[in-house]
Amino acid sequence: MHLARTIKIQITVFIVVALLSVGMISIFYLNLPAMLFGVGRYNVTVELPESGNLYPTANVTYRGIEVGKVKAVQLTDTGVAAQIWLDSKVSIPSDLDVEVHSQTAIGEQYIALLPRNGMSAPLKNGDVIDSSRARVPPNINQLLDGVNKGLRAIPNDNVKTVIDESYVAFGGLGPEFSRFIDGATTLAIDAQKNLDDLTNLADGAQPVLDSQTQSSGSIQSWAANLATITDQLKAQDAAVAGVLQNGGPASDEVRQLFDRVKPTIPIVLANLVSLGEVAVTYQADIEQLLVLLPQATANAQGTVVPNLNTKQHFAGGFLSFNTGNLNLPPPCTAGFLPAQQRRAASLVDVPDRPAGDLYCRVPQDSQFNVRGARNIPCETVPGKRAPTVKMCESDEQYVPLNDGLNWKGDPNATLSGQGIPQLPPNSPPTAEPSQPPPIPIATAEYDPATGRYVGPNGQIYTQSDLARSTPEEKNWQSMLVPPGS
């Protein structure tokens, strides 16, 4: 038979396409190279305690992805050995568990590979997975047989009674069950949306539960203490009832108190803030005071001990009239008003304080008035001593007026020529008079015969020691004894 050239070309093309199709199906669909020659796969043996209805050609999955097939299932002396082949392109850790599962209700079994450690060495050809790492599902026949025995054990009359009572109990609750199912469905949907959070919650529950287990002793102690408190509350029921009954009026009184002090609270708080700042600055001094105060109190109490169980009319230390150390050291007058401007000690009025800073202005290492203002430590400048805060905060250093030994003349005479600071900073200067006013001297004439004189206030006073009739024999003892004694 003679065929045209075009037909021959068409038949040739058809044969080539058919061969290519068969080859493609054999290679990529039937995977003949792998089945016949083991190309692209390797074999692993899985030891199982029993077959679990596993059969050849069953799927093998890793993390839910199919990675191989079951090649054969054989009996061994200790159980069953399943020969499986795995895809060489997938690296599977050797530290894993093997489980046999049913894919459908009709019993399509498959092997699931579950890694324990993803960083372990990968499986290789010829590896054996021990049966201690393999689990198979329970025998369905035994399960059905157990269910059948359980159903037979239930008496028919009782089952009828249970059904009738269930109908009475749940009859007419269809809408409620419907709402319950709808709510459960919504809850399941929301749980699926928040699956990551739920997973994190489940993963994080283990440390919390472990902490509860470790602190079980503390929890038991807390429960015991709580039981003691409840017992006390039960025993003091009347008192607790009184507190509850009187709590309302007491809270009203407290509220009224707050209402009354509300206008002054801001001022008090502002003052407390200022006081707090001062306390922070003088924290070291306050701490030292609190340390020394108990010892000082003990010393003060110790001075009373010698007078215990005595006939003394005063409770205190012994009095001493020893005048041997009188005026040693002499009082400091440098830096204060001159003697002509000092007030008499007998005056009881309260005049304005003289302008300027008045304090003992002798050298800081002088023996006069060693606890004076000139030796006050500067809190913000450690190691510096100054009489005023301004001098502490500035670079100015303390300069004394004199050495304090000028017992006559002007006590404020300076050795360095500095001015006498009488006015505070930023005070308006006062015009000095051309001549200082005369110093007023209080004088009064007295009657030598009677010793009477008129005081500055216009009243008449009598000093018997000034009269002519006074005895001439006077000594220091008679001067200390009151008249008439």
Side-chain angles (χ1 to χ4, degrees), residues 304-372:
V304 186
V305 174
N307 288 333
L308 292 178
N309 302 322
T310 64
K311 296 182 179 180
Q312 301 287 347
H313 296 288
F314 58 89
F318 286 113
L319 297 179
S320 175
F321 292 96
N322 182 13
T323 59
N325 58 353
L326 184 65
N327 213 29
L328 290 176
C332 178
T333 57
F336 297 96
L337 295 177
Q340 298 84 354
Q341 300 181 14
R342 299 174 192 166
R343 300 173 64 252
S346 60
L347 299 180
V348 294
D349 59 339
V350 185
D352 295 336
R353 187 180 184 278
D357 298 325
L358 300 180
Y359 55 90
C360 182
R361 302 195 181 190
V362 296
Q364 291 180 328
D365 56 353
S366 174
Q367 296 182 357
F368 301 143
N369 196 15
V370 293
R371 296 183 178 89

Side-chain angles (χ1 to χ4, degrees), residues 174-188:
E176 286 72 10
F177 279 112
S178 178
R179 287 194 297 270
F180 174 76
I181 294 173
D182 292 340
T185 303
T186 304
L187 179 62

Side-chain angles (χ1 to χ4, degrees), residues 31 33 66 91 111 148 188 190 207 222 224 334 341 421 448 451 475:
N31 199 11
E66 183 180 346
S91 178
I111 292 179
N148 188 26
D190 293 340
W222 177 82
Q341 300 181 14
N475 51 27

Side-chain angles (χ1 to χ4, degrees), residues 15-314:
I15 293 173
V16 171
V17 170
L19 292 176
L20 290 175
S21 299
V22 172
M24 295 292 290
I25 292 173
S26 300
I27 294 174
F28 296 101
Y29 182 74
L30 298 178
N31 199 11
L32 290 179
M35 294 178 61
L36 298 178
F37 309 105
V39 177
R41 66 182 184 183
Y42 59 94
N43 296 322
V44 174
T45 301
V46 178
E47 295 181 351
L48 301 172
E50 59 183 37
S51 66
N53 297 327
L54 192 65
Y55 54 88
T57 70
N59 294 330
V60 179
T61 63
Y62 172 66
R63 299 184 185 273
I65 303 299
E66 183 180 346
V67 294
K69 295 285 186 180
V70 176
K71 183 178 180 181
V73 179
Q74 299 176 351
L75 288 173
T76 63
D77 296 337
T78 58
V80 176
Q83 302 291 334
I84 63 174
W85 60 265
L86 301 175
D87 192 349
S88 302
K89 298 178 181 178
V90 181
S91 178
I92 301 175
S94 58
D95 187 6
L96 49 77
D97 292 330
V98 177
E99 294 182 355
V100 178
H101 293 282
S102 297
Q103 189 168 1
T104 62
I106 61 176
E108 295 185 20
Q109 308 300 103
Y110 70 96
I111 292 179
L113 302 180
L114 306 176
R116 293 182 177 180
N117 183 6
M119 304 302 295
S120 59
L123 288 173
K124 60 183 182 297
N125 188 43
D127 283 350
V128 178
I129 301 176
D130 189 73
S131 60
S132 61
R133 297 190 176 187
R135 290 186 294 273
V136 296
N139 193 329
I140 190 64
N141 296 326
Q142 296 177 357
L143 178 62
L144 294 177
D145 184 56
V147 172
N148 188 26
K149 289 181 180 179
L151 293 176
R152 290 179 179 178
I154 300 175
N156 295 334
D157 295 339
N158 294 342
V159 173
K160 182 178 183 302
T161 302
V162 170
I163 295 174
D164 293 341
E165 294 298 332
S166 299
Y167 173 77
V168 174
F170 299 104
L173 297 179
E176 286 72 10
F177 279 112
S178 178
R179 287 194 297 270
F180 174 76
I181 294 173
D182 292 340
T185 303
T186 304
L187 179 62
I189 294 173
D190 293 340
Q192 185 177 5
K193 293 180 180 179
N194 299 278
L195 184 60
D196 295 338
D197 296 334
L198 292 176
T199 304
N200 294 334
L201 178 62
D203 294 339
Q206 183 65 30
V208 176
L209 296 177
D210 291 341
S211 64
Q212 296 297 317
T213 303
Q214 296 171 1
S215 59
S216 59
S218 301
I219 294 175
Q220 292 177 358
S221 300
W222 177 82
N225 296 334
L226 182 61
T228 303
I229 293 174
T230 54
D231 292 340
Q232 292 294 329
L233 291 176
K234 181 180 179 181
Q236 304 295 331
D237 181 69
V240 175
V243 171
L244 296 178
Q245 292 175 359
N246 299 327
S251 62
D252 292 338
E253 293 293 335
V254 173
R255 180 182 56 80
Q256 294 177 7
L257 175 62
F258 281 125
D259 292 340
R260 289 195 299 269
V261 301
K262 184 183 297 182
T264 59
I265 285 180
I267 300 176
V268 174
L269 294 179
N271 294 336
L272 289 178
V273 170
S274 302
L275 181 62
E277 294 177 354
V278 174
V280 170
T281 303
Y282 291 91
Q283 179 182 358
D285 302 81
I286 296 174
E287 181 179 357
Q288 183 69 9
L289 178 62
L290 295 177
V291 171
L292 297 180
L293 183 59
Q295 185 62 37
T297 304
N299 294 339
Q301 293 175 346
T303 60
V304 186
V305 174
N307 288 333
L308 292 178
N309 302 322
T310 64
K311 296 182 179 180
Q312 301 287 347
H313 296 288
F314 58 89

